[in-house]
Amino acid sequence: MTADRRRPRPDSAPRGRYAPELWNVWLVGPLTLLAALAVGMGVFFLFRSLAPHGDVQPTPVPAHDLIRTTLAALAFVLAVLAGVHAYRKQRLAEGDAHRADADRLAERYATAAEQLGHDRAAVRLAGVHAMTRLADDWDEQRQVCIDVLCAYLRMPYEPDPDAAAYKEGDREVRHTIIRVIRDHSRTSARTSWSRYEFDFTRATFDGGDLSECHFEGRISFNSAHFVGDRFLFLHTQFGSDALGVVADFRGARFTGGEVDFGEVGFNRGTVDFGDADFDGATVHLGQAKFRGATVGFAYARFTSGTVSFAGADFDAGAVDFAHAEFRGARVSFQGAWLSGGAIGFSPTVFGAGMVDFVFTQFVGASVDFGFARFRGAEVPFHLAQFDRGTIKFDEAQFIAGKVDFRRSEQGGATVTFEHVRGAPHDWGPFRPRPGSAE
């Protein structure tokens, strides 16, 4: 493992942070004196206007009073110049202090990065904690420190202890990084990382816990591999009401263990599971809330294992399963609430396994099963409620398997079966017009 040892870019610091921009002293001095003279003249004319007027004979001014006044004026000028000099000296000292702080922080960064690349797991673990403390202390380069921790998780990793590439202690280091990110992404964190970006592209996860986090910045699990043990996203929030945020799971592989998104919130923005492979894992999206988000499962493959959307709330967003393939997994939408927005299963292949819509409520949504192909899967809509909205099965193919609508309720929704091929196992309350089914 070779960690990123590059020093943080100094150009990301605010302009003038380490070397204060000061005006030329030959310009500041005269301007200061002119300002002081203007103030003095103003005071002089103010008191002159308050003096009594009339035939008052002028009183001669003693010579010692003239000398005293001149010395007072000179003392005032020197005081002004001394003040200007002291201010400039303080600003330069602050610049030196900031520069020294930056040098110390850069040295800490280099040390922590070197520790993360060490052969011994204990030293790498110390590097994780050192980089974490540095991220908390260094506002300007916090994203850089987070990127280094994420880069460690993206490095090649062998979770099987019996494999030749397995590294002793690496699992503990990786899980420590995940815990650090979790603790700093919760609303109770003393130093919050919620608004920063996290890149876990092609990372391998054999367990971990990101529960109760709030990710307001972009987060990517593109092509990540979830294998073995449990990975938890319980009650985690992706996005916010103010930010359109992308949660990227494109090409992710769920091939073992359990991944639990229970009661997770996807708020606004885009959540993309396109081309993801659900094969052998148990993925729980029960009670998840998709609110205003655009959720994509296009070209996803549900091959084996279990994927549950039971009780999920799809509210006023767009959910797209276009070209997805259900070919052996058990996928459940039991009790899900599909309200508002658009949900598309066109064209989708229901090839094997079971896709369960029992008790699902379609309320005011536009749901499209057009051109879907039912080729062997069991797809029950028992007790489903079609209330308002539009549900289309136009051009669908009912070739094999068992698709039935027994005991489902058509509560005001417009349900169409134009030019379908074959027929469901049981039409339930739906009766296509003569000639609409082939």
Side-chain angles (χ1 to χ4, degrees):
M1 151 70 189
T2 302
D4 185 356
R5 294 186 175 86
R6 294 175 298 174
R7 284 177 176 262
R9 297 184 300 273
D11 57 0
S12 63
R15 182 176 175 82
R17 170 155 171 82
Y18 304 139
E21 293 184 353
L22 299 175
W23 290 6
N24 191 294
V25 68
W26 297 108
L27 178 63
V28 175
L31 288 177
T32 304
L33 290 177
L34 288 175
L37 180 61
V39 173
M41 292 295 294
V43 174
F44 171 76
F45 284 111
L46 175 64
F47 281 103
R48 183 178 180 183
S49 66
L50 298 177
H53 298 280
D55 298 332
V56 180
Q57 295 295 326
T59 303
V61 179
H64 66 274
D65 286 344
L66 290 175
I67 295 173
R68 186 168 53 192
T69 302
T70 302
L71 291 176
L74 290 174
F76 175 73
V77 170
L78 291 175
V80 170
L81 293 177
V84 171
H85 175 71
Y87 171 75
R88 290 172 61 85
K89 186 176 180 180
Q90 178 182 354
R91 291 282 289 150
L92 291 172
E94 289 175 354
D96 291 339
H98 289 315
R99 188 181 299 108
D101 288 342
D103 290 342
R104 284 194 293 270
L105 291 169
E107 290 174 2
R108 288 173 58 186
Y109 175 88
T111 301
E114 185 174 359
Q115 289 176 321
L116 283 171
H118 201 276
D119 292 335
R120 293 174 54 196
V123 179
R124 296 198 300 275
L125 194 59
V128 171
H129 293 294
M131 189 66 71
T132 300
R133 289 193 298 271
L134 180 60
D136 290 342
D137 294 340
W138 203 357
D139 293 348
E140 294 167 1
Q141 299 291 349
R142 182 168 296 147
Q143 182 65 65
V144 174
C145 298
I146 292 173
D147 289 344
V148 172
L149 294 175
C150 292
Y152 190 100
L153 295 177
R154 295 197 303 269
M155 298 298 292
Y157 171 60
E158 176 53 65
D160 185 0
D162 297 327
Y166 179 77
K167 295 175 65 174
E168 187 69 31
D170 204 25
R171 187 174 191 269
E172 179 60 30
V173 176
R174 298 171 68 87
H175 281 228
T176 299
I177 294 176
I178 295 171
R179 286 195 297 270
V180 163
I181 293 173
R182 178 199 64 193
D183 294 342
H184 283 79
S185 299
R186 290 179 169 175
T187 55
S188 59
R190 178 176 299 178
T191 302
S192 176
W193 295 1
S194 290
R195 290 183 177 272
Y196 292 87
E197 296 185 358
F198 297 89
D199 185 2
F200 303 114
T201 300
R202 292 184 296 277
T204 299
F205 297 99
D206 61 339
D209 186 0
L210 288 176
S211 297
E212 299 182 7
C213 295
H214 191 176
F215 295 108
E216 298 183 46
R218 189 178 188 276
I219 182 168
S220 175
F221 290 90
N222 190 306
S223 301
H225 189 191
F226 295 87
V227 53
D229 214 331
R230 300 183 70 199
F231 200 100
L232 304 179
F233 290 95
L234 297 172
H235 303 283
T236 290
Q237 299 293 314
F238 292 91
S240 68
D241 293 337
L243 300 174
V245 178
V246 176
D248 186 1
F249 289 86
R250 288 176 299 168
R253 294 182 295 156
F254 301 87
T255 59
E258 179 181 355
V259 181
D260 196 341
F261 291 88
E263 298 190 49
V264 71
F266 296 104
N267 306 303
R268 300 171 62 94
T270 301
V271 183
D272 197 348
F273 286 88
D275 201 37
D277 192 355
F278 299 87
D279 185 6
T282 297
V283 181
H284 180 58
L285 283 150
Q287 307 296 324
K289 295 176 175 58
F290 301 87
R291 293 187 172 174
T294 299
V295 186
F297 289 89
Y299 294 96
R301 295 168 298 280
F302 300 86
T303 305
S304 64
T306 302
V307 182
S308 175
F309 294 90
D313 185 355
F314 298 88
D315 184 9
V319 185
D320 184 16
F321 286 88
H323 299 282
E325 297 183 26
F326 298 88
R327 54 191 189 190
R330 177 182 175 89
V331 181
S332 175
F333 290 87
Q334 189 172 120
W337 180 280
L338 308 177
S339 61
I343 298 95
F345 292 89
S346 172
T348 298
V349 177
F350 297 88
M354 174 179 285
V355 184
D356 177 4
F357 290 94
V358 175
F359 287 110
T360 302
Q361 298 186 54
F362 300 87
V363 182
S366 174
V367 184
D368 188 5
F369 287 91
F371 295 94
R373 288 166 289 175
F374 298 88
R375 295 183 172 179
E378 292 188 46
V379 187
F381 287 86
H382 301 161
L383 301 174
Q385 296 183 14
F386 298 86
D387 185 11
R388 304 192 309 275
T390 302
I391 295 89
K392 295 181 180 180
F393 289 87
D394 301 344
E395 305 286 350
Q397 299 178 13
F398 297 91
I399 298 172
K402 186 176 181 180
V403 182
D404 66 69
F405 297 89
R406 286 178 296 175
R407 301 176 64 188
S408 60
E409 299 180 12
Q410 184 181 7
T414 300
V415 184
T416 63
F417 291 86
E418 297 291 336
H419 306 293
V420 299
R421 290 188 178 184
H425 179 75
D426 192 308
W427 288 102
F430 307 112
R431 291 292 181 268
R433 297 192 309 273
S436 63
E438 300 177 6

